[in-house]
Amino acid sequence: MAQQQLKELPVLSEYDISPITGFLPVEEPLQVLPDPYFAPWEETFQKFNGLLLASRLRQYVNELPVLDAAKLKTKAEQRRGYLILCMLSHAYVWGKHEQAAEVLPAALAVPWQKVADMLEMQPVLTHAAVVMWNWRLLYKDGPRDLNNLDTLGTLSGSSDESWFYLVTTAIEATGAPVLSKILTAIQQARDNNIVGLTQELEGIRGIIEDLVSVLRRMFERCDPYVFYWKVRPYLAGWENMAEAGLPNGVRYEGVDNGEYKKLAGGSAAQSSLIHALDIAFGVEHHPTGFRPHKAGASAPATGSPAVHPPSAATAAPAAVKPTNFIQKMRFYMPGPHRSFLTHLTEVSNIRQFVTEKAAGERTAEVEKLITVYDECVHQIKVFRDVHIQMVTLYIVMQANRGPSISHGGFAPQPHAQVQKTEPSANGTVDKSAATANGAIASDGTGEKPSKGSNILYPQKVIFGAPYGLAKKQEAGNDVVRGTGGTDLIPFLRQSRDETNESKIVPTPSITARKHSTAA
């Protein structure tokens, strides 16, 4: 391979990345802002779960002062401020069984935009906020794994939400060593060192296998029902959220002349670690439904600068080309991490090197290199397979079932008793008798529930489900919206298939096999 004018490899520390902790901060995130000036934020953060439960959060926030985020002096303080404002703002917008609020008050909007600019991010809840900057060690001298991590805050107050974040934090910690190995592998390819590159890839393969193992632990302590109905609605942003009550997005009071913003919510696609693996192995992603091998399809490959950062909703052009969602998610990452991915794209050569060797003499060394490379790509695909399984269980199945749980935790009524309560002679319902028999519906009509239809959370009837993304999937509607605003399942399947297509020795994807069978 030609080595003239090769760009220098990125130095991790120059991009706020550690060879030990990866994209996670080296020091634990702050548990409180040290400047008393920010006491109003900290006090609200400490009590916002209770305020949300009492439906008083919006009233409380409306009385907060507008603080100057420029007083957040250190990176750690900025991250803490960003986390607080993310959680308070999403709690304010989505509420607790309330209509979504399309106007965010200046007390949150103005400093949120300011600190987001300082971090080179977007003022919306992100992967970085709830995963990378939302943890503490239970034992200070212990590892960053699921046996030694706790969250600093949750939107629902549930342990299921904590586990959801912490599994992803543990994935970031587990994958941290892969970054140095990727850079070493690139250098080995530059040096035409087949044996050295193979050894590095073997190490990378083992780390990706560990990532899959950690991801599978999500099933242990995050209940699908709780996640879908109680946690997920708060993670959504305000892009493509007309069906959730925000057709125009959210207006940030005191920001950009009060224009509406349409921003994606927290998404696993915002993980810089996964992007780094895709770049290293030449995995190219394209707009959902647009693939290069299909007639008329045209899309930028991974690393292309064709995608521009989000802007105010009113500034969008009339005709927009299909959006590369994965590329777009980089604008929701911390600025230094985004810059690292750009640099990594410019020097990445592993796939090119392996492809060139595969096209030449197939020595034993080359065959082993191809095998190990493909095994790495396969493990990234397996990671995405498990993610699809999780999305199916935690989102699709919950959406199809709706909020009702058979018996709602109570003993079922005999079928003979499941009938409308008869009125008394004066035409009124005897509610005391009906209540004793478990017959009064949540709306007080005296209508007995049908067999197996007891609702565990009757507020979904009282306040009128759905709220936000917590809703039952309507018949005939195949679109399950992700918190980032995507049509979730087609996006994930295409991402998985694009990964599989990056192998040197191709193997058919699940989607391809299904199409072949159908044909």
Side-chain angles (χ1 to χ4, degrees), residues 85 90 261:
L85 293 169
H90 276 246
K261 291 180 181 288

Side-chain angles (χ1 to χ4, degrees), residues 17 221 302:
I17 303 169
R221 299 178 189 180
T302 299

Side-chain angles (χ1 to χ4, degrees), residues 44 48 51-52 54-62 88 91-92:
T44 308
F48 89 96
L51 291 168
L52 191 60
S55 298
R56 299 182 66 181
L57 178 65
R58 291 175 180 172
Q59 173 189 349
Y60 192 93
V61 167
N62 288 338
L88 294 185
Y92 186 100

Side-chain angles (χ1 to χ4, degrees), residues 102 238 240-250 260 262 313:
E102 65 174 6
W238 15 98
N240 297 329
M241 287 296 161
E243 60 197 77
L246 295 174
N248 302 312
V250 169
Y260 283 88
K262 290 185 176 181

Side-chain angles (χ1 to χ4, degrees), residues 436-451:
N437 290 325
I440 292 294
S442 60
D443 60 1
T445 61
E447 188 79 21
K448 287 189 177 183
S450 60
K451 183 178 181 181

Side-chain angles (χ1 to χ4, degrees), residues 158-293:
S158 69
S159 60
D160 300 81
E161 184 179 353
S162 287
W163 188 254
F164 176 72
Y165 297 150
L166 294 175
V167 167
T168 318
T169 304
I171 286 173
E172 294 284 349
T174 301
V178 84
L179 301 174
S180 295
K181 287 188 171 295
I182 287 173
L183 297 181
T184 302
I186 291 173
Q187 186 59 53
Q188 297 286 14
R190 287 184 173 186
D191 295 340
N192 196 31
N193 187 342
I194 296 176
V195 174
L197 174 57
T198 302
Q199 290 175 343
E200 291 302 321
L201 292 181
E202 287 175 331
I204 292 172
R205 178 189 60 195
I207 293 173
I208 303 173
E209 289 172 346
D210 291 341
L211 298 183
V212 175
S213 297
V214 176
L215 180 61
R216 290 185 190 278
R217 295 196 63 187
M218 183 69 72
F219 303 105
E220 293 179 14
R221 299 178 189 180
C222 183
D223 181 87
Y225 187 93
V226 174
F227 174 77
Y228 183 81
W229 295 101
K230 300 299 182 181
V231 177
R232 184 171 177 264
Y234 294 112
L235 305 181
W238 15 98
E239 181 175 56
N240 297 329
M241 287 296 161
E243 60 197 77
L246 295 174
N248 302 312
V250 169
R251 184 164 65 83
Y252 288 51
E253 193 176 66
V255 177
D256 295 334
N257 298 316
E259 293 181 342
Y260 283 88
K261 291 180 181 288
K262 290 185 176 181
L263 298 171
S267 170
Q270 295 166 4
S271 169
S272 300
L273 175 64
I274 304 304
H275 280 246
L277 287 170
D278 278 343
I279 293 169
F281 289 94
V283 179
E284 295 186 356
H285 295 291
H286 305 276
T288 304
F290 290 79
R291 304 285 288 281
H293 61 273

Side-chain angles (χ1 to χ4, degrees), residues 27-44:
E27 302 295 331
E28 286 184 74
L30 290 178
Q31 297 184 33
V32 64
L33 290 170
D35 190 342
Y37 174 79
F38 293 104
W41 289 1
E42 290 288 357
E43 291 169 1
T44 308

Side-chain angles (χ1 to χ4, degrees), residues 308-463:
H308 302 288
S311 59
T314 54
V320 181
K321 294 181 179 180
T323 300
N324 186 327
F325 179 77
I326 290 182
Q327 280 288 318
K328 181 180 175 181
M329 288 300 98
R330 292 192 187 177
F331 293 103
Y332 294 82
M333 299 174 182
H337 298 172
R338 181 168 61 251
S339 297
F340 169 76
L341 296 177
T342 299
H343 193 163
L344 184 63
T345 300
E346 294 170 349
V347 300
S348 182
N349 63 355
I350 299 173
R351 177 175 171 76
Q352 177 188 353
F353 180 83
V354 178
T355 301
E356 290 177 356
K357 293 301 178 184
E361 183 182 358
R362 291 290 192 96
T363 65
E365 287 182 348
V366 171
E367 289 291 355
K368 183 175 182 180
L369 173 65
I370 295 170
T371 298
V372 177
Y373 176 91
D374 279 354
E375 287 172 348
C376 288
V377 175
H378 182 72
Q379 286 305 312
I380 300 174
K381 174 193 170 291
V382 171
F383 186 91
R384 289 192 158 111
D385 281 334
V386 176
H387 189 205
I388 291 174
Q389 293 168 11
M390 288 174 49
V391 168
T392 301
L393 175 61
Y394 282 81
I395 299 175
V396 177
M397 291 177 64
Q398 304 308 311
N400 289 336
R401 289 173 178 171
S404 299
I405 291 183
S406 180
H407 315 323
F410 301 97
Q413 299 295 323
H415 183 62
Q417 295 181 7
V418 180
Q419 58 188 4
K420 187 170 182 177
T421 304
E422 294 297 330
S424 62
N426 61 8
T428 62
V429 175
D430 183 352
K431 293 188 177 182
S432 61
T435 303
N437 290 325
I440 292 294
S442 60
D443 60 1
T445 61
E447 188 79 21
K448 287 189 177 183
S450 60
K451 183 178 181 181
S453 68
N454 297 31
I455 295 178
L456 181 60
Y457 297 106
Q459 69 269 22
K460 292 203 172 294
V461 173
I462 296 173
F463 290 101

